[in-house]
Amino acid sequence: KAGVTQTPRYLIKTRGQQVTLSCSPISGHRSVSWYQQTPGQGLQFLFEYFSETQRNKGNFPGRFSGRQFSNSRSEMNVSTLELGDSALYLCASSPTVGGNTIYFGEGSWLTVV
Amino acid sequence: SQQGEEDPQALSIQEGENATMNCSYKTSINNLQWYRQNSGRGLVHLILIRSNEREKHSGRLRVTLDTSKKSSSLLITASRAADTASYFCATDAGTASKLTFGTGTRLQVTL
């Protein structure tokens, strides 16, 4: 079956703009989580959704938000973009919460200029 | 914040040799997972080891877990050029799908 699908793969935005990234989990997976990867901070957890509810949130400002739809697809939004938001944003899915193998997508490369 | 460190930060070996990477973490865990990341790509899941397991094998991969030392190791036997990538360990506390990652080891396998 298809893996975790993220769109778009690459995008360039200007400071102050906002961006929305999309993630389709593996079919049947109900838990979706998001991570930010930068050279300086490494891989950091953003948030996790299960059954349309945010279960966990990482230590990121309120400009970072997300949501999950009834079909388990998820979106994350970053408002008022800053140069430091340039990163690879990775989405991951698992069947349920806790104790499962977690599968990642190819990521969305965001460059803020 | 990072859960812990991976050692070494970078490793260069020749094809056919074995590669060993170590991961240390700070807090109690439920599971530990290893991932591979090729440059600019997503994370590929390699293996999951639960806190009550000490060793797991998958093909050329062998993972050990020592919860008393809060450490894990990943051994890749008979390395190939295609194994060139960054390798990350990630832990979870079991009640969520929140992973905390190590800093990663960059493996370079040369012909």
Side-chain angles (χ1 to χ4, degrees), chain B residues 4-108:
Chain B
E5 297 291 322
E6 288 183 62
D7 168 53
Q9 286 189 331
L11 178 61
S12 183
I13 60 172
Q14 292 193 315
E15 207 172 44
E17 294 181 334
N18 295 342
T20 300
M21 289 159 262
N22 302 295
C23 162
S24 62
Y25 55 91
K26 297 174 182 173
T27 61
S28 296
I29 65 168
N30 195 52
N31 305 296
L32 186 145
Q33 308 193 46
W34 283 91
Y35 291 88
R36 183 186 75 229
Q37 185 178 38
N38 291 89
S39 182
R41 307 293 298 272
L43 298 173
V44 175
H45 186 266
L46 296 176
I47 201 163
L48 179 152
I49 187 166
R50 303 195 186 280
S51 60
N52 61 354
E53 297 175 313
R54 292 296 167 257
E55 187 171 313
K56 265 187 117 166
H57 297 255
S58 177
R60 294 184 295 113
L61 307 179
R62 172 178 169 257
V63 167
T64 61
L65 178 64
D66 187 335
T67 53
S68 66
K69 294 181 180 178
K70 292 187 170 57
S71 68
S72 174
S73 68
L74 170 66
L75 167 68
I76 304 174
T77 60
S79 295
R80 306 165 180 168
D83 295 327
T84 294
S86 291
Y87 291 81
F88 294 89
C89 68
T91 58
D92 72 70
T95 58
S97 295
K98 172 185 174 181
L99 294 176
T100 305
F101 282 86
T103 51
T105 293
R106 293 187 308 278
L107 173 65
Q108 175 77 42

Side-chain angles (χ1 to χ4, degrees), chain A residues 38-86:
Chain A
T38 60
Q41 298 299 315
L43 282 151
Q44 294 193 292
F45 171 80
L46 278 160
F47 24 65
E48 175 199 3
Y49 288 89
F50 180 79
S51 293
E52 303 177 65
T53 301
Q54 187 179 87
R55 288 178 47 88
N56 280 288
K57 190 176 193 301
N59 188 24
F60 281 83
R63 300 184 297 106
F64 291 81
S65 63
R67 59 178 176 169
Q68 186 180 33
F69 302 97
S70 59
N71 61 359
S72 295
R73 193 176 67 83
S74 177
E75 290 181 346
M76 67 162 283
N77 182 277
V78 187
S79 62
T80 319
L81 284 165
E82 301 177 358
L83 295 178
D85 298 333
S86 295

